[in-house]
């Protein structure tokens, strides 16, 4: 079982990256293979990300997944094939133990970051718990979400910044929050792609600003964030979820190369 020390042992930032949702085995394996090759060359600790199910959708007809067990088995296959850890979201207390059988990191979605029972259930699995900061919370308020996991007996906690609600259809990133949350004593991750979402569109489909991915990522590295979270897909326009804010997979290597150079420059 991996711990946060395993991810934080490199002088580099660590990376959590992959598709928004598991769409199929071949797609997941192809994305993982590509990213593993890049991160090994650049010496970036890597966690494959893929949601086995999407519970928070704008419309009833939005894609939610290919089936829980099928998607979780794909996540396990990715882990075993490439010898890498994996992360997925959970949404209800009953999902914590189920998902923990297949993945290494349980992620608490931003909208659910104050759900005490969910945090405790995730903590009790002994897995790393990655808590996304609610779009409605100040950075300082995240200490209480973290403390719930710690008080439940699990010190393997990470916090992910993913932007703060600004008006009805936009998010902003207050980079002061990253060093503030680092004072809690746990790794802080910048969710680059979700922070560039444009939610609550009248179409019922979330928009995004992927042209600013490099801007947000560079700023996060420059202030010393511990890790980056990037959703990526070979063809974002064809992705079944969150395609509007994803990074095209063939752009990832050049971006990470530049970010590694920036990290080295500030050490």
């Amino acid at each position: 079982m991996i711990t946060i020390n395993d991810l934080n042992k490199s002088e580099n930032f660590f990376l959590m990256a992959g598709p928004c949702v598991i769409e199929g085995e071949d797609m997941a394996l192809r994305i993982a293979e590509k990213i593993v090759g890049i991160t090994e060359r650049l010496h970036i600790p890597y966690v494959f990300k893929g949601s086995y199910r999407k519970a928070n959708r704008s419309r009833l007809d939005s894609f939610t997944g290919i089936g829980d067990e099928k998607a979780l088995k794909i996540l396990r296959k990715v882990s075993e094939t490439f010898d890498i850890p994996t992360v997925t979201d959970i949404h209800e207390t009953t999902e914590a133990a189920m998902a923990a059988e297949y993945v290494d990191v349980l992620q608490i979605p931003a909208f659910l970051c104050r759900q005490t029972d969910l945090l405790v259930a995730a903590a009790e699995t002994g897995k790393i718990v990655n808590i996304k900061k609610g779009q409605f919370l100040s950075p300082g308020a995240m200490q209480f979400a973290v403390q719930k996991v710690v008080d439940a007996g699990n010190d393997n906690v990470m916090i992910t910044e993913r932007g703060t609600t600004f008006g009805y259809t936009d998010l902003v990133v207050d980079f002061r929050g990253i060093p503030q949350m680092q004072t809690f004593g746990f790794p802080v991750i910048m969710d680059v792609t979700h922070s560039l979402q444009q939610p609550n569109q009248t179409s019922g489909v979330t928009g995004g600003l992927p042209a600013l991915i490099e801007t947000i990522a560079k700023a996060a590295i420059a202030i010393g964030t511990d890790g980056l979270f990037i959703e990526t897909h070979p063809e974002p326009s064809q992705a079944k979820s969150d395609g509007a804010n994803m990074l095209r997979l063939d752009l990832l290597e050049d971006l990470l190369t530049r970010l590694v150079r920036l990290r080295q420059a500030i050490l």
Side-chain angles (χ1 to χ4, degrees):
M1 183 179 296
I2 68 164
T3 67
I4 57 175
N5 290 331
D6 296 319
L7 297 177
N8 249 356
K9 64 185 177 182
S10 170
E11 288 189 349
N12 246 333
F13 55 90
F14 61 88
L15 176 69
M16 304 173 78
C20 177
V21 63
I22 298 298
E23 299 175 12
E25 181 177 306
D26 180 65
M27 180 270 282
L29 290 170
R30 284 190 294 115
I31 292 174
E33 182 178 28
K34 176 72 171 178
I35 302 177
V36 165
I38 295 169
T39 53
E40 285 183 348
R41 286 192 293 276
L42 295 174
H43 305 291
I44 300 171
Y46 173 50
V47 181
F48 177 84
K49 184 270 167 183
S51 296
Y52 72 90
R53 172 158 49 91
K54 303 301 294 185
N56 176 32
R57 301 289 86 189
S58 297
R59 303 186 331 200
L60 189 61
D61 61 354
S62 297
F63 179 80
T64 58
I66 60 174
D68 292 356
E69 186 177 12
K70 184 177 181 180
L72 286 167
K73 285 182 175 179
I74 290 171
L75 283 163
R76 175 187 282 167
K77 185 167 183 177
V78 167
S79 179
E80 293 174 346
T81 300
F82 300 105
D83 192 24
I84 54 174
T86 55
V87 56
T88 199
D89 310 82
I90 60 171
H91 317 90
E92 299 178 11
T93 56
T94 55
E95 297 176 32
M98 175 184 71
E101 292 292 320
Y102 297 89
V103 302
D104 305 279
V105 183
L106 299 178
Q107 183 164 279
I108 307 300
F111 280 118
L112 302 176
C113 69
R114 294 184 62 183
Q115 297 296 104
T116 300
D117 288 349
L118 182 60
L119 290 164
V120 171
E124 289 177 344
T125 67
K127 300 288 186 173
I128 295 176
V129 181
N130 180 34
I131 313 172
K132 286 199 167 185
K133 182 182 78 64
Q135 303 94 322
F136 46 87
L137 283 184
S138 69
M142 281 301 292
Q143 64 184 302
F144 304 111
V146 170
Q147 196 61 45
K148 291 175 184 179
V149 176
V150 173
D151 288 347
N154 189 339
D155 291 331
N156 282 305
V157 189
M158 303 189 295
I159 309 165
T160 295
E161 168 63 60
R162 53 96 72 235
T164 301
T165 300
F166 185 76
Y168 291 115
T169 59
D170 209 355
L171 298 165
V172 296
V173 178
D174 181 355
F175 284 99
R176 298 174 299 177
I178 291 177
Q180 182 179 356
M181 290 188 289
Q182 284 174 324
T183 66
F184 305 158
F186 301 95
V188 175
I189 302 160
M190 181 70 235
D191 183 341
V192 178
T193 45
H194 282 103
S195 69
L196 291 168
Q197 282 184 332
Q198 293 182 305
N200 303 320
Q201 300 294 315
T202 55
S203 65
V205 178
T206 298
L209 299 169
L212 293 175
I213 287 173
E214 185 161 344
T215 300
I216 296 294
K218 283 181 173 177
I221 294 300
I223 63 169
T225 193
D226 299 286
L228 295 179
F229 180 109
I230 297 174
E231 288 190 338
T232 182
H233 193 283
E235 297 182 73
S237 64
Q238 303 301 313
K240 296 183 181 295
S241 178
D242 283 2
N245 53 269
M246 279 194 198
L247 178 70
R248 208 171 71 224
L249 184 59
D250 63 359
L251 300 177
L252 182 63
E253 183 167 11
D254 285 347
L255 172 62
L256 291 177
T257 299
R258 291 190 289 272
L259 294 176
V260 167
R261 290 174 184 158
L262 179 58
R263 175 75 167 200
Q264 292 168 345
I266 65 173
L267 287 177

